PDB file of all heavy atoms in Angstrom:
ATOM      1  N   ALA A 687      10.673 145.356 -60.813  1.00  0.00           N
ATOM      2  CA  ALA A 687      10.179 145.032 -62.010  1.00  0.00           C
ATOM      3  C   ALA A 687       8.752 144.879 -62.123  1.00  0.00           C
ATOM      4  O   ALA A 687       8.046 145.402 -63.093  1.00  0.00           O
ATOM      5  CB  ALA A 687      10.962 143.768 -62.693  1.00  0.00           C
ATOM      6  N   ALA A 688       8.111 144.208 -61.226  1.00  0.00           N
ATOM      7  CA  ALA A 688       6.605 143.943 -61.196  1.00  0.00           C
ATOM      8  C   ALA A 688       5.887 145.233 -60.930  1.00  0.00           C
ATOM      9  O   ALA A 688       4.740 145.368 -61.382  1.00  0.00           O
ATOM     10  CB  ALA A 688       6.342 142.934 -60.171  1.00  0.00           C
ATOM     11  N   LEU A 689       6.503 146.116 -60.071  1.00  0.00           N
ATOM     12  CA  LEU A 689       5.724 147.393 -59.779  1.00  0.00           C
ATOM     13  C   LEU A 689       5.913 148.531 -60.709  1.00  0.00           C
ATOM     14  O   LEU A 689       5.297 149.478 -60.481  1.00  0.00           O
ATOM     15  CB  LEU A 689       6.243 147.690 -58.332  1.00  0.00           C
ATOM     16  CG  LEU A 689       5.824 146.755 -57.243  1.00  0.00           C
ATOM     17  CD1 LEU A 689       6.521 147.247 -55.906  1.00  0.00           C
ATOM     18  CD2 LEU A 689       4.371 146.600 -57.075  1.00  0.00           C
ATOM     19  N   HIS A 690       6.720 148.245 -61.814  1.00  0.00           N
ATOM     20  CA  HIS A 690       6.885 149.300 -62.811  1.00  0.00           C
ATOM     21  C   HIS A 690       6.678 148.867 -64.190  1.00  0.00           C
ATOM     22  O   HIS A 690       7.141 147.780 -64.593  1.00  0.00           O
ATOM     23  CB  HIS A 690       8.341 149.907 -62.711  1.00  0.00           C
ATOM     24  CG  HIS A 690       8.616 150.788 -61.329  1.00  0.00           C
ATOM     25  ND1 HIS A 690       8.888 150.021 -60.190  1.00  0.00           N
ATOM     26  CD2 HIS A 690       8.639 151.966 -61.110  1.00  0.00           C
ATOM     27  CE1 HIS A 690       9.083 150.883 -59.204  1.00  0.00           C
ATOM     28  NE2 HIS A 690       8.820 152.117 -59.662  1.00  0.00           N
ATOM     29  N   ASP A 691       5.982 149.694 -65.001  1.00  0.00           N
ATOM     30  CA  ASP A 691       5.739 149.360 -66.394  1.00  0.00           C
ATOM     31  C   ASP A 691       7.120 149.461 -67.103  1.00  0.00           C
ATOM     32  O   ASP A 691       7.886 150.324 -66.773  1.00  0.00           O
ATOM     33  CB  ASP A 691       4.766 150.192 -66.868  1.00  0.00           C
ATOM     34  CG  ASP A 691       3.347 149.938 -66.293  1.00  0.00           C
ATOM     35  OD1 ASP A 691       3.101 148.776 -65.958  1.00  0.00           O
ATOM     36  OD2 ASP A 691       2.570 150.994 -66.178  1.00  0.00           O
ATOM     37  N   PRO A 692       7.255 148.744 -68.174  1.00  0.00           N
ATOM     38  CA  PRO A 692       8.451 149.031 -69.130  1.00  0.00           C
ATOM     39  C   PRO A 692       8.528 150.416 -69.562  1.00  0.00           C
ATOM     40  O   PRO A 692       7.624 150.977 -69.959  1.00  0.00           O
ATOM     41  CB  PRO A 692       8.275 147.973 -70.237  1.00  0.00           C
ATOM     42  CG  PRO A 692       7.365 146.939 -69.665  1.00  0.00           C
ATOM     43  CD  PRO A 692       6.484 147.648 -68.693  1.00  0.00           C
ATOM     44  N   GLY A 693       9.702 151.033 -69.339  1.00  0.00           N
ATOM     45  CA  GLY A 693      10.006 152.515 -69.747  1.00  0.00           C
ATOM     46  C   GLY A 693       9.641 153.407 -68.647  1.00  0.00           C
ATOM     47  O   GLY A 693       9.926 154.579 -68.608  1.00  0.00           O
ATOM     48  N   GLU A 694       9.018 152.899 -67.503  1.00  0.00           N
ATOM     49  CA  GLU A 694       8.699 153.871 -66.395  1.00  0.00           C
ATOM     50  C   GLU A 694       9.922 154.063 -65.571  1.00  0.00           C
ATOM     51  O   GLU A 694      10.730 153.089 -65.289  1.00  0.00           O
ATOM     52  CB  GLU A 694       7.588 153.174 -65.481  1.00  0.00           C
ATOM     53  CG  GLU A 694       7.120 153.984 -64.422  1.00  0.00           C
ATOM     54  CD  GLU A 694       5.957 153.403 -63.484  1.00  0.00           C
ATOM     55  OE1 GLU A 694       5.624 152.297 -63.913  1.00  0.00           O
ATOM     56  OE2 GLU A 694       5.643 153.931 -62.414  1.00  0.00           O
ATOM     57  N   ILE A 695      10.149 155.397 -65.203  1.00  0.00           N
ATOM     58  CA  ILE A 695      11.356 155.622 -64.414  1.00  0.00           C
ATOM     59  C   ILE A 695      11.203 155.104 -63.000  1.00  0.00           C
ATOM     60  O   ILE A 695      10.154 155.281 -62.383  1.00  0.00           O
ATOM     61  CB  ILE A 695      11.607 157.185 -64.328  1.00  0.00           C
ATOM     62  CG1 ILE A 695      11.799 157.731 -65.711  1.00  0.00           C
ATOM     63  CG2 ILE A 695      12.668 157.657 -63.458  1.00  0.00           C
ATOM     64  CD1 ILE A 695      11.894 159.281 -65.886  1.00  0.00           C
ATOM     65  N   ILE A 696      12.176 154.544 -62.448  1.00  0.00           N
ATOM     66  CA  ILE A 696      12.326 154.057 -61.149  1.00  0.00           C
ATOM     67  C   ILE A 696      12.944 154.906 -60.246  1.00  0.00           C
ATOM     68  O   ILE A 696      14.089 155.190 -60.427  1.00  0.00           O
ATOM     69  CB  ILE A 696      12.932 152.593 -61.202  1.00  0.00           C
ATOM     70  CG1 ILE A 696      12.239 151.471 -62.080  1.00  0.00           C
ATOM     71  CG2 ILE A 696      12.983 152.049 -59.709  1.00  0.00           C
ATOM     72  CD1 ILE A 696      12.806 150.238 -62.222  1.00  0.00           C
ATOM     73  N   ALA A 697      12.197 155.519 -59.312  1.00  0.00           N
ATOM     74  CA  ALA A 697      12.848 156.420 -58.403  1.00  0.00           C
ATOM     75  C   ALA A 697      13.437 155.820 -57.181  1.00  0.00           C
ATOM     76  O   ALA A 697      13.109 154.555 -56.933  1.00  0.00           O
ATOM     77  CB  ALA A 697      11.650 157.504 -58.002  1.00  0.00           C
ATOM     78  N   LEU A 698      14.199 156.564 -56.514  1.00  0.00           N
ATOM     79  CA  LEU A 698      14.936 155.925 -55.190  1.00  0.00           C
ATOM     80  C   LEU A 698      13.778 155.701 -54.271  1.00  0.00           C
ATOM     81  O   LEU A 698      13.919 154.666 -53.439  1.00  0.00           O
ATOM     82  CB  LEU A 698      15.858 156.925 -54.634  1.00  0.00           C
ATOM     83  CG  LEU A 698      16.743 156.476 -53.499  1.00  0.00           C
ATOM     84  CD1 LEU A 698      17.531 155.434 -53.854  1.00  0.00           C
ATOM     85  CD2 LEU A 698      17.546 157.706 -52.964  1.00  0.00           C
ATOM     86  N   THR A 699      12.646 156.370 -54.200  1.00  0.00           N
ATOM     87  CA  THR A 699      11.634 156.174 -53.186  1.00  0.00           C
ATOM     88  C   THR A 699      10.849 154.892 -53.473  1.00  0.00           C
ATOM     89  O   THR A 699      10.184 154.454 -52.546  1.00  0.00           O
ATOM     90  CB  THR A 699      10.580 157.323 -53.246  1.00  0.00           C
ATOM     91  OG1 THR A 699      10.168 157.499 -54.540  1.00  0.00           O
ATOM     92  CG2 THR A 699      11.267 158.589 -52.806  1.00  0.00           C
ATOM     93  N   ALA A 700      11.039 154.231 -54.662  1.00  0.00           N
ATOM     94  CA  ALA A 700      10.443 152.904 -54.987  1.00  0.00           C
ATOM     95  C   ALA A 700      11.147 151.823 -54.206  1.00  0.00           C
ATOM     96  O   ALA A 700      10.439 150.788 -54.003  1.00  0.00           O
ATOM     97  CB  ALA A 700      10.572 152.727 -56.479  1.00  0.00           C
ATOM     98  N   LEU A 701      12.336 152.111 -53.685  1.00  0.00           N
ATOM     99  CA  LEU A 701      13.161 150.948 -53.001  1.00  0.00           C
ATOM    100  C   LEU A 701      12.303 150.843 -51.509  1.00  0.00           C
ATOM    101  O   LEU A 701      11.915 151.789 -50.938  1.00  0.00           O
ATOM    102  CB  LEU A 701      14.459 151.349 -52.777  1.00  0.00           C
ATOM    103  CG  LEU A 701      15.381 151.470 -54.107  1.00  0.00           C
ATOM    104  CD1 LEU A 701      16.710 151.795 -53.864  1.00  0.00           C
ATOM    105  CD2 LEU A 701      15.305 150.136 -54.784  1.00  0.00           C
ATOM    106  N   PRO A 702      12.508 149.698 -50.904  1.00  0.00           N
ATOM    107  CA  PRO A 702      11.925 149.492 -49.518  1.00  0.00           C
ATOM    108  C   PRO A 702      12.741 150.392 -48.571  1.00  0.00           C
ATOM    109  O   PRO A 702      13.937 150.697 -48.837  1.00  0.00           O
ATOM    110  CB  PRO A 702      12.351 148.003 -49.235  1.00  0.00           C
ATOM    111  CG  PRO A 702      12.378 147.297 -50.606  1.00  0.00           C
ATOM    112  CD  PRO A 702      12.950 148.483 -51.543  1.00  0.00           C
ATOM    113  N   SER A 703      12.031 150.964 -47.637  1.00  0.00           N
ATOM    114  CA  SER A 703      12.589 151.881 -46.633  1.00  0.00           C
ATOM    115  C   SER A 703      13.819 151.288 -46.030  1.00  0.00           C
ATOM    116  O   SER A 703      14.788 151.896 -45.527  1.00  0.00           O
ATOM    117  CB  SER A 703      11.614 152.343 -45.619  1.00  0.00           C
ATOM    118  OG  SER A 703      11.046 151.189 -44.889  1.00  0.00           O
ATOM    119  N   THR A 704      13.838 149.950 -45.700  1.00  0.00           N
ATOM    120  CA  THR A 704      14.958 149.308 -45.159  1.00  0.00           C
ATOM    121  C   THR A 704      16.208 149.377 -45.930  1.00  0.00           C
ATOM    122  O   THR A 704      17.302 149.396 -45.383  1.00  0.00           O
ATOM    123  CB  THR A 704      14.646 147.792 -44.929  1.00  0.00           C
ATOM    124  OG1 THR A 704      14.232 147.231 -46.186  1.00  0.00           O
ATOM    125  CG2 THR A 704      13.539 147.544 -43.953  1.00  0.00           C
ATOM    126  N   ILE A 705      16.102 149.604 -47.282  1.00  0.00           N
ATOM    127  CA  ILE A 705      17.266 149.829 -48.104  1.00  0.00           C
ATOM    128  C   ILE A 705      17.534 151.269 -48.132  1.00  0.00           C
ATOM    129  O   ILE A 705      18.712 151.805 -48.072  1.00  0.00           O
ATOM    130  CB  ILE A 705      16.928 149.386 -49.498  1.00  0.00           C
ATOM    131  CG1 ILE A 705      16.898 147.682 -49.269  1.00  0.00           C
ATOM    132  CG2 ILE A 705      18.267 149.590 -50.515  1.00  0.00           C
ATOM    133  CD1 ILE A 705      16.443 147.151 -50.721  1.00  0.00           C
ATOM    134  N   VAL A 706      16.555 152.211 -48.376  1.00  0.00           N
ATOM    135  CA  VAL A 706      16.766 153.653 -48.530  1.00  0.00           C
ATOM    136  C   VAL A 706      17.352 154.313 -47.400  1.00  0.00           C
ATOM    137  O   VAL A 706      18.343 154.998 -47.343  1.00  0.00           O
ATOM    138  CB  VAL A 706      15.475 154.375 -48.830  1.00  0.00           C
ATOM    139  CG1 VAL A 706      15.778 155.889 -48.839  1.00  0.00           C
ATOM    140  CG2 VAL A 706      14.839 153.825 -50.188  1.00  0.00           C
ATOM    141  N   ASP A 707      16.972 153.792 -46.087  1.00  0.00           N
ATOM    142  CA  ASP A 707      17.426 154.406 -44.867  1.00  0.00           C
ATOM    143  C   ASP A 707      18.629 153.810 -44.143  1.00  0.00           C
ATOM    144  O   ASP A 707      19.187 154.269 -43.283  1.00  0.00           O
ATOM    145  CB  ASP A 707      16.285 154.393 -43.791  1.00  0.00           C
ATOM    146  CG  ASP A 707      14.966 154.990 -44.240  1.00  0.00           C
ATOM    147  OD1 ASP A 707      15.249 155.936 -45.042  1.00  0.00           O
ATOM    148  OD2 ASP A 707      13.917 154.741 -43.796  1.00  0.00           O
ATOM    149  N   ALA A 708      19.059 152.611 -44.768  1.00  0.00           N
ATOM    150  CA  ALA A 708      20.060 151.854 -44.256  1.00  0.00           C
ATOM    151  C   ALA A 708      21.470 152.550 -44.554  1.00  0.00           C
ATOM    152  O   ALA A 708      21.671 153.080 -45.544  1.00  0.00           O
ATOM    153  CB  ALA A 708      20.207 150.463 -44.766  1.00  0.00           C
ATOM    154  N   ALA A 709      22.503 152.328 -43.652  1.00  0.00           N
ATOM    155  CA  ALA A 709      23.788 152.899 -43.807  1.00  0.00           C
ATOM    156  C   ALA A 709      24.393 151.951 -44.837  1.00  0.00           C
ATOM    157  O   ALA A 709      24.297 150.815 -45.052  1.00  0.00           O
ATOM    158  CB  ALA A 709      24.645 152.753 -42.529  1.00  0.00           C
ATOM    159  N   PRO A 710      25.225 152.505 -45.798  1.00  0.00           N
ATOM    160  CA  PRO A 710      25.947 151.855 -46.830  1.00  0.00           C
ATOM    161  C   PRO A 710      26.758 150.825 -46.229  1.00  0.00           C
ATOM    162  O   PRO A 710      27.505 150.971 -45.260  1.00  0.00           O
ATOM    163  CB  PRO A 710      26.735 152.936 -47.707  1.00  0.00           C
ATOM    164  CG  PRO A 710      26.117 154.171 -47.260  1.00  0.00           C
ATOM    165  CD  PRO A 710      25.524 154.042 -45.922  1.00  0.00           C
TER     166      PRO A 710
END
């Protein structure tokens, strides 16, 4: 929330790499 302005699209790449690369 802090890194994105209201209305700005949040992409998957905005997530920490530890979450993006982790196994479900």
Side-chain angles (χ1 to χ4, degrees):
L689 293 171
H690 292 80
D691 294 327
E694 183 180 355
I695 295 175
I696 300 175
L698 187 61
T699 53
L701 298 179
S703 59
T704 52
I705 296 176
V706 175
D707 300 336

